[in-house]
Amino acid sequence: MTGKTNLEEILKTLRPEWHEDEYVFCSFMEMPDDASEAIMWFRETEGITLIVRKETADRKKWPYSFVAAWITLTVNSSLEAVGLTAAFSFALSGEGISCNVVAGFYHDHLFVPSGDAARALHVLQGLSK
């Protein structure tokens, strides 16, 4: 196991980082030939989801409907930590901000509506206080 598991310690050291580009979720039945610019991808029963910069999807003419901001919680939280997703989801939902979460090995990555990025960052920073 790696990373922090104590929720109080994790929340004190969230250090959210906003990647200031816009990102989109694209869906495909098969992996596209040139998916090398994908930030993340996931295979589901219904197809493959790629998360890419909006400019990449536009250039490649890949369809999408949700334009997001990407915020990384730079604290090294364990995949076994309990309550982190609930804590930030509750805080963001209290402000009417939707959030799509991808958990990496070291960090959680949040995708919020692009227009809500600054507010979401402020809410997440508030969890550290």
Side-chain angles (χ1 to χ4, degrees):
M1 177 174 68
T2 185
K4 298 176 183 191
T5 57
N6 180 285
L7 182 59
E8 186 176 318
E9 182 182 347
I10 292 169
L11 291 175
K12 285 181 183 176
T13 58
L14 277 182
R15 296 185 326 270
E17 178 182 295
W18 175 11
H19 306 265
E20 293 197 27
D21 286 329
E22 291 183 309
Y23 298 85
V24 296
F25 290 62
C26 300
S27 180
F28 302 92
M29 293 309 297
E30 297 180 11
M31 185 67 79
D33 288 336
D34 184 17
S36 62
E37 295 180 65
I39 304 300
M40 300 174 199
W41 69 271
F42 197 86
R43 183 181 312 273
E44 299 177 279
T45 304
E46 298 85 356
I48 298 170
T49 300
L50 266 64
I51 303 173
V52 298
R53 284 184 168 83
K54 181 181 177 293
E55 69 178 35
T56 300
D58 290 341
R59 180 172 25 87
K60 295 177 181 281
K61 298 184 180 7
W62 290 346
Y64 58 85
S65 59
F66 176 64
V67 180
W70 173 18
I71 299 173
T72 298
L73 304 180
T74 63
V75 62
N76 185 0
S77 58
S78 170
L79 289 166
E80 296 178 350
V82 176
L84 176 57
T85 304
F88 66 70
S89 293
F90 182 77
L92 291 170
S93 68
E95 295 296 321
I97 301 171
S98 70
C99 178
N100 295 277
V101 183
V102 178
F105 190 83
Y106 296 102
H107 307 289
D108 288 291
H109 304 274
L110 288 56
F111 293 87
V112 300
S114 184
D116 290 334
R119 282 190 322 120
L121 189 64
H122 180 73
V123 169
L124 294 167
Q125 290 168 336
L127 289 175
S128 297
K129 297 177 182 171

